[in-house]
Amino acid sequence: MVALRVGVLALQGDVREHVAMLSAIGVDVVAVRTAEQLEDVTGLVIPGGESTTIARLLETSGIRPLLATRLGEGLPVLGTCAGLILLSRTILDGRADQWSFATIDVDVRRNGFGRQIASFETMIEVDGLGSVPGVFIRAPKIESWSESVSVLAMHDHGSGSTPVLVRQGNAWGCSFHPELTDNDQIHRLFVESL
Ligand code: GLN
């Protein structure tokens, strides 16, 4: 097997939890803080946190252009929560100047499941995996998506079912935080796809 080196974008957010989970699975993990470190990863996790802050740091760190290129070339990527926002084609309720990589053809609404106080944990049924715990913290809601997007899990939080785990080619987007539980199945799914 080709050696896997998975990067975790380490500019802001819950980096440590992703690094710990991937290390426990047994893959080589690198915390990516520079464009140079991004060059030799075979997959990347973009963590949850604050999408506007991560976007700003992507620019000041100089990582944005290389990451845009690598995503365009099909770099496998898993975006969780704020990471999903950064990968989506459209951000609703974003800041006026907020940009995204438009890697996954979904339109997400920031904080679409409610504010911090409305954070919740629930079991999510994932296609082919069964139940996994999902922690939603100011999570983005996928309000529309194109046919090229595979929906792997849906959740109904009272106003109709919407996708919470999606995949388009090598890009995976997850509204919730799999790294904040002790269940590593979503990470394994991603790693096994590499
Ligand atoms: N609402 C946050 C944002 O817009 C994302 C929250 C999270 O990643 N837990 O970036």
Side-chain angles (χ1 to χ4, degrees):
M1 192 169 85
V2 180
L4 299 177
R5 172 172 292 187
V6 180
V8 177
L9 188 67
L11 300 175
Q12 190 266 336
D14 43 3
V15 174
R16 206 164 20 115
E17 293 84 349
H18 277 294
V19 170
M21 197 157 255
L22 290 163
S23 304
I25 289 175
V27 291
D28 189 9
V29 190
V30 55
V32 173
R33 294 191 183 84
T34 64
E36 204 172 40
Q37 290 167 326
L38 180 64
E39 261 160 30
D40 54 12
V41 300
T42 44
L44 182 73
V45 172
I46 305 181
E50 185 54 50
S51 55
T52 52
T53 305
I54 298 174
R56 181 170 47 77
L57 295 172
L58 278 165
E59 288 183 327
T60 54
S61 63
I63 295 177
R64 180 181 174 178
L66 179 64
L67 183 49
T69 303
R70 291 216 61 191
L71 289 172
E73 290 166 355
L75 174 71
V77 63
L78 166 65
T80 62
C81 206
L84 163 62
I85 297 173
L86 283 155
L87 292 174
S88 66
R89 73 175 166 198
T90 314
I91 304 169
L92 306 165
D93 289 343
R95 253 186 19 197
D97 61 346
Q98 194 164 351
W99 58 270
S100 58
F101 289 109
T103 309
I104 306 179
D105 291 336
V106 293
D107 309 316
V108 298
R109 186 170 302 280
R110 285 180 78 200
N111 305 319
F113 289 97
R115 314 291 313 177
Q116 185 87 20
I117 197 159
S119 296
F120 62 97
E121 183 168 348
T122 188
M123 294 309 287
I124 300 292
E125 248 351 273
V126 178
D127 267 11
L129 264 195
S131 271
V132 301
V135 178
F136 291 74
I137 305 169
R138 295 191 302 122
K141 186 180 257 184
I142 296 174
E143 294 199 341
S144 44
W145 59 99
S146 76
E147 272 174 20
S148 43
V149 174
S150 306
V151 176
L152 302 174
M154 307 272 287
H155 176 65
D156 184 353
H157 198 54
S159 52
S161 225
T162 57
V164 290
L165 178 66
V166 295
R167 178 177 186 179
Q168 183 172 2
N170 288 335
W172 303 67
C174 188
S175 310
F176 53 91
H177 289 270
E179 76 287 1
L180 296 182
T181 70
D182 55 9
N183 186 311
D184 63 8
Q185 300 222 72
I186 303 276
H187 288 77
R188 283 185 185 277
L189 204 59
F190 176 60
V191 167
E192 277 159 19
S193 77
L194 298 176

